[in-house]
Amino acid sequence: MSAAETDVGLLRGIGLVLARELRLGFRRPDQLLQPLVFFLIVTTLFPLALSPLTSLLRAMAPGVLWVAALLSSLLSMETLFKADADDGTLEQLALSSQPLGAIVVAKTIAHWLVSGAALVAMSPLVATALSVPPRALPTMLASLALGTLTLSWLGAIGAGLTVGLRRGGVLLSLIVLPLAMPLLIFGASATDRAIGGENPAGALYFLAALCVFTTSLGPLAASAALRITLE
Amino acid sequence: MHEPAVGLTAEKIHVWRGDRHVLRGVSFAARPGCLLHVHGPNGTGKTTLLRVLCGLLRPESGVVRWGGDPIETIRSEYQRAMTYASHEAALKGDLTALENLRYAVGLKRRVPDAQLRTTLERTGVGLCADLPARVLSAGQRRRVAMARVLAMRSTLWLLDEPYTNLDAKGGDLLTALLDEHVGAGGIALVVAHHALPLTGAVDRLELAA
């Protein structure tokens, strides 16, 4: 039945799910753009509500950037498994003879590419609007890239746990936000130090450690959560 | 089992849903070339039984065996040999019929697009191959799902109400496909509310309320 030449290896399986997710993502550009526009608008509200003084903007920029990035990632997290669970394709994926962990990895990376990576790409624009000096941009980009990837993994675990619930979005936020606090602290402090001209390496290392931690445990935790909700 | 262990066997499957005892000791053996018609009134656990058999749901007690081994211990081998079609068509509305098949079947075995197109033509939806699944009618979606089952080329088919939404010709086609599958030594479990007009033998598994 399963001759060797028709066997689907793990990498091929991951690539196929990744291609599926990206195709689905770009078929629905509105869902991709909404979190990005949200990020843009929230960061624009602060100078309007407070004061457009350069010194004030610069002082609050790291916090504003990170809180807005966190909230906008929450918007796209719920759909990670929900859409597939609703139309029954999640069951088909789970029974596809590929390990569920591999499917979770592919879906989460695809989710990060269309949400987190897009947000990172847009952040220099927002940072400039908040008068972040150009020398702090590389640090800010690195911290946001590590942070959004970590968030995608936390989101995958939360979405796996809440996918069976009718209004899981609020619960998902309550699960993910406390776990995301270390990210906020180290991410904002790395950006803050870079703006002040200090060495941000310590905070970046912490972010990288969190990223490695969630990337290695996330697939296990999220697939275990999914297996429970699929019952 | 005392006989040589081939095919799918279930031994005393018990499933509780909340405080409802849905499946009360269901046992059967389905050998190659066997079609098992799962029959029973609504709410007697037909879908639950199929979800247990495909490994999505763990029974409270009892064991499902494939070729003599419990399915949890040979999960990926079992999943390669098995195809489950739920009572919904399980298609992504934003993907075309062909893409739906490519990403679903492609995870099980390498398959060229041309072969998937041929399969879609066989189930009568060849012209819909490049249309997004969301514009297809319920019957056409069911036929695409049928093409997915065919294209998987599995030994074991677990079909949950596959006749729903099919017109008379579609029903005849499905019956012919089931005949062919079982005739070639495959195994099929079919949940249906009417008698299956197959030429070969049909075993019945009755689930009572």
Side-chain angles (χ1 to χ4, degrees):
Chain A
M1 211 76 235
S2 57
E5 68 267 22
T6 62
D7 256 4
V8 181
L10 194 63
L11 280 180
R12 193 183 161 84
I14 291 179
L16 211 59
V17 178
L18 201 61
R20 169 192 192 264
E21 295 300 311
L22 292 179
R23 197 177 283 259
L24 276 171
F26 288 108
R27 291 269 157 92
R28 278 290 163 94
D30 52 323
Q31 281 188 5
L32 295 189
L33 290 174
Q34 275 166 14
L36 295 179
V37 174
F38 178 84
F39 178 62
L40 204 63
I41 290 179
V42 167
T43 46
T44 318
L45 290 178
F46 282 88
L48 295 177
L50 298 167
S51 129
L53 269 176
T54 308
S55 58
L56 180 69
L57 282 181
R58 213 168 263 189
M60 68 178 196
V64 170
L65 271 168
W66 268 88
V67 171
L70 186 58
L71 294 179
S72 109
S73 321
L74 275 181
L75 287 182
S76 58
M77 267 175 201
E78 200 191 346
T79 55
L80 188 51
F81 300 121
K82 186 96 183 140
D84 283 354
D86 287 347
D87 58 25
T89 47
L90 191 62
E91 283 177 357
Q92 291 290 331
L93 286 176
L95 296 175
S96 66
S97 79
Q98 300 291 332
L100 194 53
I103 288 160
V104 168
V105 167
K107 283 185 75 78
T108 311
I109 290 174
H111 173 261
W112 178 73
L113 285 175
V114 297
S115 64
L119 189 142
V120 173
M122 216 177 66
S123 60
L125 183 72
V126 174
T128 313
L130 292 173
S131 70
V132 171
R135 67 173 147 48
L137 286 185
T139 304
M140 184 202 72
L141 286 172
S143 69
L144 276 176
L146 289 169
T148 48
L149 185 56
T150 312
L151 268 177
S152 285
W153 284 115
L154 294 177
I157 299 169
L161 284 171
T162 57
V163 70
L165 307 175
R166 212 168 309 139
R167 297 194 57 193
V170 180
L171 186 58
L172 175 63
S173 312
L174 294 181
I175 294 173
V176 171
L177 282 177
L179 295 174
M181 277 172 196
L183 285 180
L184 195 69
I185 294 168
F186 291 115
S189 101
T191 317
D192 195 37
R193 291 175 77 88
I195 291 175
E198 295 165 77
N199 183 3
L204 280 180
Y205 289 153
F206 259 104
L207 279 179
L210 288 171
C211 187
V212 169
F213 180 66
T214 50
T215 308
S216 45
L217 287 185
L220 293 175
S223 57
L226 270 183
R227 218 174 271 291
I228 296 167
T229 38
L230 274 174
E231 285 208 343
Chain B
M1 303 305 295
H2 302 293
E3 311 108 279
V6 282
L8 182 75
T9 54
E11 293 157 27
K12 300 200 178 85
I13 304 288
H14 286 270
V15 174
W16 290 79
R17 284 313 226 180
D19 52 3
R20 235 160 47 84
H21 198 172
V22 185
L23 294 177
R24 307 172 187 204
V26 178
S27 301
F28 66 83
R31 325 201 138 267
C34 160
L35 188 138
L36 193 64
H37 178 188
V38 183
H39 193 265
N42 293 129
T44 47
K46 300 185 292 296
T47 297
T48 307
L49 176 63
L50 249 57
R51 289 177 64 86
V52 168
L53 294 178
C54 70
L56 282 173
L57 186 65
R58 221 176 261 264
E60 262 73 29
S61 72
V63 58
V64 181
R65 290 175 194 275
W66 175 247
D69 299 311
I71 56 171
E72 312 86 70
T73 61
I74 48 162
R75 195 186 282 272
S76 78
E77 183 195 329
Y78 177 60
Q79 289 185 346
R80 254 196 295 281
M82 178 270 299
T83 297
Y84 167 64
S86 59
H87 53 81
E88 48 197 354
L91 302 173
K92 287 306 274 185
D94 288 329
L95 296 178
T96 67
L98 182 67
E99 287 165 347
N100 265 295
L101 256 60
R102 187 193 298 154
Y103 295 128
V105 181
L107 286 174
K108 235 169 204 169
R109 65 185 191 91
R110 289 180 186 227
V111 57
D113 274 3
Q115 205 180 88
L116 294 177
R117 275 186 199 278
T118 317
T119 314
L120 283 169
E121 272 157 27
R122 227 182 136 202
T123 57
V125 279
L127 293 174
C128 309
D130 295 311
L131 291 177
R134 89 183 100 81
V135 305
L136 302 182
S137 75
Q140 287 172 323
R141 290 167 64 87
R142 179 58 68 181
R143 281 164 182 262
V144 176
M146 208 197 298
R148 183 177 58 215
V149 173
L150 263 184
M152 298 269 196
R153 296 203 177 152
S154 306
T155 315
L156 172 64
W157 289 2
L158 302 171
L159 310 180
D160 198 350
E161 306 205 11
Y163 284 93
T164 318
N165 293 325
L166 286 179
D167 54 14
K169 268 174 83 182
D172 292 347
L173 175 68
L174 177 56
T175 307
L177 291 174
L178 281 170
D179 249 335
E180 186 185 308
H181 177 66
V182 174
I187 306 174
L189 263 80
V190 181
V191 172
H193 289 290
H194 55 81
L196 298 177
L198 260 72
T199 51
V202 176
D203 295 329
R204 269 167 79 98
L205 178 67
E206 201 75 38
L207 295 181

